[in-house]
Amino acid sequence: MPSEGRLIGPFPPGVDPDGYDRLRRRVLWTMPSGIYLLGTRSGDRANLMTLNWATQVSTEPKHLAVSVERAAVSHELLEQGGCFCLALLRREDRALVRKFVKPAGHDAAARTLAGFAYTTARTGAPVPAFAAAYLDCEVRHRVGLGSHTLFVGEIVDAGVGAPGAERPGQTGLGQADVDSLAGTVDLLAGADVLRMEDTRMSYGG
């Protein structure tokens, strides 16, 4: 984490700062959270990054917020490209999130990031081919929050699987050939989606 090795206040009166810091981190880590891959791009540059600070923040319009560390490559791409795609993963793919905790090597010709194939969403942001589902967003707001920036995006497309690379029986919600919206949603409802507690990680982003 960015604060590794540093004690950050405020501290309640009379507490031991070190003990309180350990307690506070434990409570924060216990909060239910998903763990995702965040796809970003700017021009010919692209990246996929492990991220767990993401949530829907508005129903009308449909807004999704992600909090990204200022020092991250993905932060730079978000600032420049103005879009992101949040990929939900399956529990069976839990080991893959660790492949993206550092900037992913990008081979544009082969369309791979960290050696894994990706497709592109409507915005052009990358989506790993192994995604369980995705939410494609255009950035509408930016809020500086100390070590991180909160990027709020409007959802412009969504789908089950990766766009153009759906697994058998899965259809992207944003595609013209969707015949049964209810059937598509039922497929996702049965998915075993990866969550933070399924890994030994305490932070991603």
Side-chain angles (χ1 to χ4, degrees):
M1 296 180 68
S3 59
E4 193 86 34
R6 293 189 295 119
L7 296 180
I8 298 175
F11 299 102
V15 304
D16 169 56
D18 186 66
Y20 173 78
D21 181 66
R22 289 197 301 271
L23 170 64
R24 181 178 54 190
R25 282 187 282 122
R26 180 60 58 191
V27 174
L28 285 169
W29 293 346
T30 304
M31 291 176 62
S33 175
I35 188 162
Y36 316 93
L37 288 181
L38 180 74
T40 52
R41 64 100 180 130
S42 176
D44 294 332
R45 300 175 65 202
N47 194 46
L48 283 168
M49 182 185 81
T50 302
L51 179 134
N52 71 299
W53 291 349
T55 187
Q56 183 178 348
V57 292
S58 172
T59 57
E60 189 177 345
K62 301 293 186 188
H63 277 169
L64 181 70
V66 295
S67 187
V68 182
E69 187 178 357
R70 290 180 180 272
V73 169
S74 290
H75 188 283
E76 178 184 351
L77 298 183
L78 263 167
E79 287 281 14
Q80 297 174 355
C83 65
F84 64 87
C85 194
L86 194 72
L88 284 70
L89 307 177
R90 294 172 178 80
R91 277 181 167 163
E92 66 195 59
D93 294 326
R94 62 173 60 86
L96 299 182
V97 294
R98 293 190 178 274
K99 305 291 185 181
F100 299 94
V101 295
K102 295 182 179 180
H106 183 210
D107 187 330
R111 293 174 68 83
T112 63
L113 282 158
F116 293 89
Y118 71 86
T119 62
T120 52
R122 176 179 168 185
T123 62
V127 187
F130 54 83
Y134 67 94
L135 295 163
D136 189 28
C137 303
E138 293 177 350
V139 174
R140 298 289 186 250
H141 308 282
R142 298 170 173 83
V143 183
L145 299 172
S147 60
H148 287 58
T149 297
L150 188 73
F151 292 91
V152 179
E154 183 171 4
I155 300 171
V156 296
D157 198 7
V160 178
E166 285 78 19
R167 297 192 178 190
Q170 297 178 330
T171 308
L173 297 181
Q175 300 176 8
D177 61 353
V178 173
D179 296 321
S180 172
L181 179 61
T184 302
V185 174
D186 286 346
L187 281 168
L188 184 56
D192 207 7
V193 177
L194 184 66
R195 293 171 174 81
M196 197 69 177
E197 62 264 29
D198 298 322
T199 74
R200 293 184 178 181
M201 299 177 68
S202 58
Y203 166 79

